[in-house]
Amino acid sequence: MDNPPLSPALNDRAERQIPGYRSLARLAVALLSGFPTAAIAAAPVLVVGCGTGNELIEARAQRKDWQLTAVDPSLAMLEAARQRLGDDAHQVDWVQGPVEDLPGKQRFAAATAVLVLQELADDGSKLQFLVSLARLLQPGAPLLLIDLMGGGSGLNVAMEQQFLAAQNQFQLASGLELELSPSCEGVFPIGEARRSALLNAAGFSDPIRVFQALQYEGVVAMRRQ
């Protein structure tokens, strides 16, 4: 018997875990569409960590002209995304593996990386990931990052604890059991200052916040000229 598709369960869990998750893909595509590099017809756009395909589906809905490349280390995720896209799947260039392995320079007009940077340890892996994206993006091209943020995010200790309590309550109200601490789950959140330092070291502009829901934040940074 075939394995059941991954996407419904994974998307349902993410929506219960992350405030505003359902709108993130729509926001990502709408936001990147306005940047000059991605506004042109048939702009090549990179979706890193495509997962079950939320950003790809939304891109096909808003910008059918975009030339999409979807990258994910998981074959199961790529297959789930292909299933969800249906007839549109053949319009996407599918790549299994890390984005660091993609060849070329200045190939893409924009990129998204939703809940990807948080999964990389800050032992050089985060910087290597961002350096690879800078290599692949055209000068002036936007990169959208959305991740769980950790200490040093501009909040005092009391407010950080308040946000964590709210996050736990949101999960409980959504029908999820409380998660273990992020560091115990293979998630490595960092603060605003560290994120800015990594982006600048990789060749990006200072990030601009475009989304926040408790400790989940989305920023856009542009590839420097």
Side-chain angles (χ1 to χ4, degrees):
M1 183 169 60
D2 292 338
N3 292 327
L6 292 172
S7 52
L10 288 175
N11 283 330
D12 178 70
R13 181 174 181 80
E15 289 177 9
R16 292 169 182 262
Q17 186 176 13
I18 303 170
Y21 180 81
R22 183 174 294 188
S23 299
L24 284 181
R26 188 178 311 139
L27 170 65
V29 176
L31 180 66
L32 297 185
S33 292
F35 282 82
T37 54
I40 64 173
V45 174
L46 177 64
V47 179
V48 183
C50 70
T52 58
N54 287 353
E55 291 84 51
L56 301 170
I57 291 170
E58 193 60 46
R60 292 297 298 160
Q62 292 189 41
R63 289 294 303 267
K64 286 186 179 295
D65 61 297
W66 275 358
Q67 303 299 306
L68 298 170
T69 296
V71 180
D72 202 288
S74 168
L75 179 60
M77 289 291 189
L78 292 174
E79 289 298 330
R82 283 193 186 101
Q83 290 178 20
R84 292 185 70 201
L85 263 74
D87 292 341
D88 280 346
H90 70 281
Q91 301 288 346
V92 179
D93 183 17
W94 304 94
V95 180
Q96 182 188 2
V99 72
E100 290 87 342
D101 289 350
L102 275 184
K105 295 181 178 180
Q106 300 184 7
R107 293 174 52 188
F108 296 101
T112 67
V114 177
L115 308 180
V116 178
L117 189 65
Q118 67 181 33
E119 296 185 356
L120 302 174
D122 194 11
D123 58 0
S125 299
K126 289 184 190 291
L127 179 59
Q128 183 182 7
F129 173 75
L130 294 172
V131 166
S132 296
L133 289 176
R135 168 178 58 82
L136 291 165
L137 286 170
Q138 301 166 7
L143 166 65
L144 174 66
L145 298 173
I146 298 176
D147 294 287
L148 177 70
M149 298 295 289
S153 294
L155 300 172
N156 60 40
V157 174
M159 186 57 69
E160 279 204 13
Q161 291 301 313
Q162 188 68 41
F163 274 25
L164 179 60
Q167 179 71 31
N168 290 340
Q169 180 60 33
F170 179 87
Q171 291 181 17
L172 287 172
S174 299
L176 287 181
E177 295 183 4
L178 292 183
E179 300 289 335
L180 297 173
S181 65
S183 61
C184 295
E185 299 174 351
V187 178
F188 306 93
I190 55 176
E192 287 183 12
R194 180 59 177 160
R195 180 181 58 194
S196 294
L198 289 170
L199 283 166
N200 274 278
F204 288 94
S205 67
D206 290 334
I208 300 172
R209 185 185 293 123
V210 295
F211 171 86
Q212 181 169 1
L214 299 177
Q215 288 180 282
Y216 286 91
E217 289 185 12
V219 296
V220 168
M222 287 183 289
R223 176 67 169 94
R224 288 201 296 266
Q225 301 289 333

